[in-house]
Amino acid sequence: MRGSSDLLATSVRYLKGVGPRRASLLNRLGVETIRDLLYLFPRRYEDRTTFTPIAALKPGERATICGVVREISEYKPRAGMNITRVMVTDGSGAAYGVWFNQPYMKKRFKQGMRVAFSGKVNLKYRRIEINSPEFEEMDGSEPLNAGRMVPIYPLTEGLSQRWLREQMRLVADSYAGFIGEILPEAILKKYSFPNRVDAIRAMHFPSCPEELEAARRRLAFEELFLMQLCVSSYRRHAARVTGYSHKPDSPLVDQVICSLPFKLTSAQERVWHEISTDMEKPSPMNRLLQGDVGSGKTVLAILAMAKCVQSGYQAAMMAPTEILAEQHFKSVSRVLTPFGIRVGLLTSSTTQKVRRDLLNGVEKGSIDVLVGTHALLQEGVAFRELTLAITDEQHRFGVRQRASLISKGLTPDTLVMTATPIPRTLALTLYGDLDISIIDEMPPGRQPVQTSWFPPAKRGEVYSWVRERLTQGDQAYVVCPLIEESDTVESAAAVELAQELERKWFKGLRVGVLHGRLKSTEKLQVLEAFRCGEISVLVSTTVVEVGIDVPNATVLVVEGAERFGLAELHQLRGRVGRGVKPSYCFLLADPRSDVARERLDVLTRTQSGFEIAEEDLKLRGPGEFLGTRQHGELQFRVADLTKDLDLLLRARDEAEALLRFDPHLDDLPSLKQILYQRFYEKVPFATVG
Ligand code: ADP
Ligand code: MG
């Protein structure tokens, strides 16, 4: 065991035919060891299994032919230029392989040799030619470069496909066998998965598409299974911890519900039932609440807080920005203070004195609910008895912050709210340790936001139209293009855009600006002026994205919309359509590719955040989708979250089942070892005895 694992950990530079120079090229591809090389899977494959008769070749197409070498000739049209031609015939016709300035090529061929050529077909002076074809001698041994499904590897300057394939062939033959199986026998049988060694070999040199797909699925399953084992062990760990039980019946909650100016939607009722059931259990709640912008998540958070306070405890709610914290504070106070619940607000702009009193109250228990930004996580914030921690992440995925708010209490119930609909595969992976509630219904009376996109040439038309609405008393948001370099540049751009709009299209109307360089009091002032209608147009950087609620704003214009992610645009669009009047969203965009165009079309087609999320995931892939590379959890080599949902669900079930019988994986030491290596600090086996 030890010997073989050491062997695979050997540096590739000691492989025959590699050496220091090529080893450093391989390092650029992330390959250090022999094991890494085995896991350097092809980007794609070319099917060169079928040979086209030469007579049937069509110029311009890629094809593979097989024939016998008849003639090898060299031609020097002028100094410094050398053309090598190799003619092959296959009984239907003759074709030439042609190489420029590679005189050594003629030595690779002999008359009478059977060869396969693969490449793009040209017709030149009525001769059929393939320039620099990939070629392979067909001498009866297993071919590598033609006459099969040929692996196409990621390359770096200085490495060739041909060389890498040969190297891979050697490594697959001599070393793959040392790779040990890690999946339990029962799972291999149940799903008829190939074993690990065969799967890895087949990834490189599949004999047919079916074999390749079977290998891919097995390796994808393995990745997802490891991930899910980690996630499940977390869940199991969490379920064993004792937390607080909140009281089952709370007349206060019923009173709060009655006091609301609306009836809960049936989706809200269902989710409320899920949350309150969790809260009553002694094990801590770990719940993710997903719902589209405006679906009414906040009210559920408020009910949960009421239930918490009714049981004699304290609740905290953390928002990603000050504006949003302030807004939550207002909504929470509006609903809960009439019932004698004491609500506090803590942000980084809270003054020292207020802060001191507030923290004192939190510690003594005279504050029941504390709303705030990440300031809640600071030293010195100590609760008397925190039993409910709510995080409103909007579109941010602050997994780490989530963890530290939790550590403020003993083991409080936690509820994470997010308005970014996450495709199911991502939710299961990123938030797999959480139970998920979904509000999939909008409050009644909401009208869809009519969305359309326009090229830059139509900008004037759009703004004239917007002006019409404004003169009728509506309000509008205009979002500036996303400028990633710096806050300062972006803020300056916002100011400039506001001036331009005021000068050109919105003469006589009041235009306000909101950007990241404003102090938070200034931000709140601008926002208040917009809320009460003093300002007609709010020009803003993406700060408006997060949860601002001004029902009279019915028009949203996004400049440079092609630069935004779909989820972001959808969030932005959620700023309008919050009242009873019809609302409009104009995306000014200059899409440079079909994908960019398609992304804009998706938004004009649908209002459903979930549908948009699925499309976005398909168009961009998981890493891009989340807009960040830090999600190492999501970087799979083989598994594809856009199409492997079925495998993911199976992996999850199998992981659960396995841990039920063997919670510490005592019977599967090699699996356990791999989990430790990959997810060390995340697997709680180590800490739970
Ligand atoms: P979210 O946080 O999901 O974006 P909010 O909780 O802010 O949504 O709700 C958006 C708006 O809809 C708020 O003004 C809220 O008062 C209102 N609302 C919430 N639930 C309902 C409901 N069941 N019926 C009518 N209006 C509702
Ligand atoms: Mg909200």
Side-chain angles (χ1 to χ4, degrees), residues 368-398:
D368 304 304
V369 171
L370 186 61
V371 179
T373 54
H374 53 267
L376 291 191
L377 302 177
Q378 287 159 1
E379 293 276 318
V381 184
F383 288 84
R384 186 175 55 87
E385 205 156 19
L386 178 71
T387 65
L388 175 67
I390 300 175
T391 321
D392 184 359
E393 295 190 332
Q394 293 294 332
H395 63 301
R396 286 146 216 250
F397 299 86

Side-chain angles (χ1 to χ4, degrees), residues 50-342:
T50 38
F51 299 124
T52 309
I54 291 172
L57 290 176
K58 296 201 184 67
E61 284 181 1
R62 297 190 67 83
T64 304
I65 58 169
C66 182
V68 175
V69 174
R70 299 295 172 193
E71 231 178 75
I72 303 161
S73 61
E74 207 175 4
Y75 172 57
K76 294 186 173 141
R78 55 186 150 83
M81 190 163 188
N82 171 299
I83 299 176
T84 308
R85 282 207 183 83
V86 175
M87 180 178 91
V88 301
T89 59
D90 69 351
S92 80
Y96 295 81
V98 181
W99 288 267
F100 296 92
N101 289 341
Q102 288 166 269
Y104 47 85
M105 274 301 167
K106 64 174 183 288
K107 300 206 190 80
R108 297 279 189 99
F109 301 94
K110 282 197 206 69
Q111 282 201 15
M113 190 170 152
R114 269 182 75 74
V115 294
F117 283 171
S118 188
K120 192 167 158 221
V121 178
N122 294 320
L123 190 63
K124 210 161 177 196
Y125 309 116
R126 300 171 66 195
R127 266 201 309 266
I128 293 174
E129 297 186 349
I130 302 180
N131 285 341
S132 303
E134 293 233 37
F135 62 93
E136 179 80 25
E137 179 173 2
M138 304 298 285
D139 59 358
S141 63
E142 196 193 336
L144 261 187
N145 299 293
R148 61 167 307 129
M149 285 189 60
V150 177
I152 312 287
Y153 290 99
L155 289 182
T156 182
E157 172 113 24
L159 289 183
S160 72
Q161 290 291 353
R162 198 177 176 86
W163 179 82
L164 195 50
R165 271 176 217 140
E166 270 161 29
Q167 207 56 50
M168 210 58 101
R169 175 84 267 171
L170 291 173
V171 174
D173 287 346
S174 342
Y175 294 93
F178 291 104
I179 285 184
E181 184 54 78
I182 54 167
L183 289 183
E185 192 60 40
I187 289 184
L188 291 176
K189 281 230 178 70
K190 181 167 170 189
Y191 298 103
S192 316
F193 283 141
N195 70 44
R196 206 157 177 230
V197 174
D198 289 346
I200 286 174
R201 286 192 175 133
M203 284 298 282
H204 294 287
F205 302 107
S207 57
C208 61
E210 293 72 28
E211 191 191 39
L212 173 62
E213 181 57 10
R216 195 196 69 82
R217 284 179 63 83
R218 183 240 131 92
L219 293 170
F221 178 89
E222 177 182 312
E223 285 180 313
L224 297 167
F225 181 64
L226 287 172
M227 175 81 212
Q228 291 300 317
L229 276 173
C230 175
V231 164
S232 297
S233 69
Y234 234 163
R235 280 174 83 100
R236 298 178 59 82
H237 176 59
R240 243 174 305 157
V241 173
T242 9
Y244 299 91
S245 309
H246 293 90
K247 285 191 196 153
D249 45 276
S250 20
L252 180 62
V253 173
D254 297 337
Q255 285 166 22
V256 171
I257 294 178
C258 286
S259 79
L260 295 171
F262 46 75
K263 210 168 142 301
L264 294 181
T265 62
S266 51
Q268 282 170 319
E269 290 206 11
R270 188 192 65 235
V271 171
W272 172 238
H273 180 73
E274 292 166 354
I275 293 173
S276 59
T277 310
D278 270 8
M279 287 180 72
E280 288 158 22
K281 286 187 196 150
S283 56
M285 166 165 79
N286 283 295
R287 190 164 282 280
L288 174 71
L289 172 54
Q290 281 199 69
D292 226 326
V293 230
S295 61
K297 295 180 291 296
T298 316
V299 75
L300 295 179
I302 294 174
L303 296 182
M305 292 176 189
K307 189 178 177 84
C308 166
V309 175
Q310 165 98 89
S311 308
Y313 302 123
Q314 290 169 298
M317 181 176 195
M318 188 167 76
T321 65
E322 279 192 31
I323 291 183
L324 202 57
E326 177 102 5
Q327 193 168 287
H328 279 326
F329 171 70
K330 282 192 187 145
S331 343
V332 174
S333 316
R334 195 168 52 231
V335 182
L336 294 183
T337 36
F339 295 94
I341 295 175
R342 295 152 300 184

